[in-house]
Amino acid sequence: GQQVMQIPQYQHVQEGEDFTTYCNSSTTLSNIQWYKQRPGGHPVFLIQLVKSGEVKKQKRLTFQFGEAKKNSSLHITATQTTDVGTYFCAGRGYNQGGKLIFGQGTELSVKP
Amino acid sequence: GAVVSQHPSRVICKSGTSVKIECRSLDFQATTMFWYRQFPKQSLMLMATSNEGSKATYEQGVEKDKFLINHASLTLSTLTVTSAHPEDSSFYICSARLSGSFYNEQFFGPGTRLTVL
């Protein structure tokens, strides 16, 4: 079945450093979504990418969808302590009944 | 924005008992809700897709008789963990998809932490 792999599993950065998490799917995706889960909280929707090669920005966050629609990345510029949490990508394949398959998540910690 | 609630937020029960978890979409109708299970510091594992008025679709490896799902209305889905055992202890999260929204994103409930003694 469809699998979504995400790396790295953990990332520790100094405040102000950049951070990137990568997501790879075993199959072509119709779209990919990104979620953030704060410690002790529940996942919160960040963005959805649909088009091949799409790039979207939200302030310091940049999201990319690969040309083949099988990989994606989230890049945070100049991290802040408020960026702490686990970032999940979630891919929706074709013929999957609309369900999302979540990656393992990347846990980001930011040292002030 | 779209809000999803879950009840209870935390439950501790004895082995062998059944536990019911409710998931409600508070300000929108959700024809489809999803149930996930999350182990500490791990990803969300989709258990089943709950469709209003019809049987749930279970993921491979998830026991239908163990995890009973009922989606009786457009705003309520329930997950019943039957004859719970310690290995069923986990964080259970539901989500509801906002049909017709631009992004078709899922809104997650706050989760239910189940501890089986």
Side-chain angles (χ1 to χ4, degrees):
Chain A
Q2 180 187 340
Q3 292 185 331
V4 177
M5 308 297 292
Q6 196 174 346
I7 57 170
Q9 188 174 0
Y10 302 98
Q11 186 78 58
H12 309 286
V13 300
Q14 193 75 34
E15 188 173 22
E17 292 181 339
D18 293 354
F19 159 77
T20 305
T21 173
Y22 301 90
C23 189
N24 285 285
S25 169
S26 59
T27 59
T28 304
L29 301 170
S30 64
N31 59 70
I32 193 162
Q33 298 181 353
W34 285 90
Y35 291 79
K36 177 182 179 181
Q37 185 175 21
R38 293 183 182 275
H42 59 276
V44 174
F45 174 80
L46 293 177
I47 208 162
Q48 174 174 283
L49 304 170
V50 179
K51 299 177 182 177
S52 170
E54 188 170 15
V55 178
K56 287 189 176 180
K57 291 189 175 185
Q58 287 181 350
K59 297 183 180 179
R60 294 177 295 103
L61 278 61
T62 302
F63 304 85
Q64 290 187 322
F65 201 10
E67 294 289 340
K69 299 183 72 173
K70 295 181 71 172
N71 57 72
S72 181
S73 65
L74 158 60
H75 179 82
I76 302 179
T77 304
T79 54
Q80 300 175 358
T81 54
T82 52
D83 296 326
V84 165
T86 300
Y87 293 85
F88 292 99
C89 62
R92 179 175 285 125
Y94 296 96
N95 304 319
Q96 290 287 328
K99 66 184 182 186
L100 287 172
I101 304 299
F102 280 76
Q104 298 93 326
T106 297
E107 183 179 345
L108 172 65
S109 63
V110 180
K111 189 175 182 180
Chain B
V3 178
V4 175
S5 71
Q6 255 182 268
H7 178 81
S9 59
R10 188 181 296 270
V11 58
I12 301 172
C13 69
K14 292 183 179 180
S15 185
T17 60
S18 294
V19 176
K20 179 185 281 189
I21 303 170
E22 292 186 349
C23 178
R24 293 181 184 273
S25 55
L26 297 185
D27 51 1
F28 67 101
Q29 293 182 334
T31 54
T32 304
M33 290 185 175
F34 303 90
W35 286 96
Y36 295 85
R37 185 172 178 177
Q38 186 176 35
F39 292 100
K41 294 189 178 295
Q42 293 190 27
S43 186
L44 292 90
M45 184 194 79
L46 179 64
M47 298 174 65
T49 302
S50 172
N51 300 296
E52 187 266 337
S54 64
K55 291 183 179 180
T57 303
Y58 289 82
E59 294 301 302
Q60 193 172 8
V62 178
E63 298 177 58
K64 300 178 182 180
D65 297 330
K66 175 76 174 175
F67 299 98
L68 300 178
I69 291 173
N70 185 280
H71 196 151
S73 75
L74 288 171
T75 59
L76 173 64
S77 176
T78 61
L79 167 67
T80 301
V81 183
T82 62
S83 187
H85 291 285
E87 58 266 29
D88 298 324
S89 298
S90 190
F91 192 53
Y92 293 88
I93 310 179
C94 71
S95 72
R97 192 166 64 202
L98 184 57
S99 301
S101 70
F102 183 77
Y103 285 116
N104 209 23
E105 68 266 39
Q106 292 185 21
F107 294 90
F108 285 83
T112 297
R113 185 158 306 281
L114 170 64
T115 303
V116 185
L117 302 176

